[in-house]
Amino acid sequence: MFNRSNVMGHKFRMLAISAMTISALLLVGCDGTSTTTETEAAKTETDLSVFEGCYTVSNDEPAQIKVSQQEGRWVMQMKEPATAKRVWDKAEPLEVIANSEIPNFFSIDPDNVDAVIGRPDRVLVMAHVKPVYANIDPLLDSEYLSYIYKGANTIYQVECDEVNTDILANPHANIIIDNVGPSTESL
């Protein structure tokens, strides 16, 4: 015999089971455990070719840092003094840095940065600011930011050259600032 309450109960149970199954599937899909980390995902999505080239702290100075791809990995090199008998030092590895780490190095909204690369020890970190943002931010006069040992600054991409630099020839290198505090003569 046809029992309307059994049919309704059965439909309600099926609806409840379906809702629980869908909820469980959604929870499994959003539980935060994935097979790739944010850094691994950034490595596959980030175009690091924006960093290939040479950099300096002023547009009118020779290149001091060189970023290139060697043997399938990104590396950086620093200019050597003339006494080193080579132009660039030994290549140091670079790695992609997740955008979530940007506040550790730069005071810029991570949404305005499209790539970050740095040494594993984080002594040098470079960021490429989206060109649209660099054009509208009056504090930026370059699309490149660098963080070098606890200090952030804009840097400039310049032509690479094969000329050594003599850091000791810099006339400002040996300036000693003395008597920075209040003058003792007026006491």
Side-chain angles (χ1 to χ4, degrees):
M1 178 151 219
F2 179 73
N3 186 343
R4 188 173 178 98
S5 63
N6 281 344
V7 171
M8 292 302 280
H10 178 70
K11 285 184 178 181
F12 180 72
R13 280 191 299 277
M14 291 303 290
L15 181 62
I17 290 170
S18 297
M20 288 182 356
T21 303
I22 290 171
S23 296
L25 290 172
L26 287 173
L27 287 174
V28 168
C30 299
D31 72 350
T33 58
S34 65
T35 57
T36 60
T37 64
E38 184 177 345
T39 303
E40 289 171 346
K43 286 179 186 176
T44 60
E45 297 172 13
T46 304
D47 177 16
L48 299 179
S49 66
V50 295
F51 292 113
E52 190 158 16
C54 292
Y55 299 88
T56 188
V57 294
S58 174
N59 266 334
D60 58 354
E61 293 181 8
Q64 297 174 4
I65 298 171
K66 182 179 188 179
V67 176
S68 61
Q69 199 171 14
Q70 295 179 8
E71 299 175 9
R73 63 184 186 149
W74 289 93
V75 296
M76 66 153 293
Q77 294 171 277
M78 298 289 291
K79 272 276 180 85
E80 291 275 36
T83 58
K85 307 269 192 273
R86 62 183 182 182
V87 177
W88 299 101
D89 70 357
K90 180 181 159 229
E92 295 286 332
L94 295 172
E95 61 186 23
V96 175
I97 297 175
N99 277 17
S100 62
E101 289 189 51
I102 289 173
N104 296 332
F105 309 105
F106 307 108
S107 59
I108 189 169
D109 185 340
D111 290 339
N112 297 321
V113 175
D114 59 12
V116 185
I117 193 169
R119 286 178 32 162
D121 62 6
R122 304 301 193 256
V123 170
L124 171 79
V125 176
M126 294 175 63
H128 183 258
V129 178
K130 293 178 181 176
V132 172
Y133 185 76
N135 286 336
I136 62 170
D137 187 330
L139 299 176
L140 296 177
D141 55 354
S142 170
E143 294 176 15
Y144 296 93
L145 299 174
S146 72
Y147 170 91
I148 301 174
Y149 189 67
K150 299 184 180 182
N153 204 351
T154 55
I155 57 174
Y156 304 90
Q157 192 172 43
V158 295
E159 290 294 320
C160 290
D161 61 66
E162 296 300 317
V163 178
N164 295 88
T165 56
D166 190 355
I167 297 168
L168 298 178
N170 181 351
H172 303 291
N174 294 321
I175 292 176
I176 298 171
I177 299 174
D178 202 10
N179 198 13
V180 175
S183 173
T184 55
E185 293 175 18
S186 62
L187 295 177

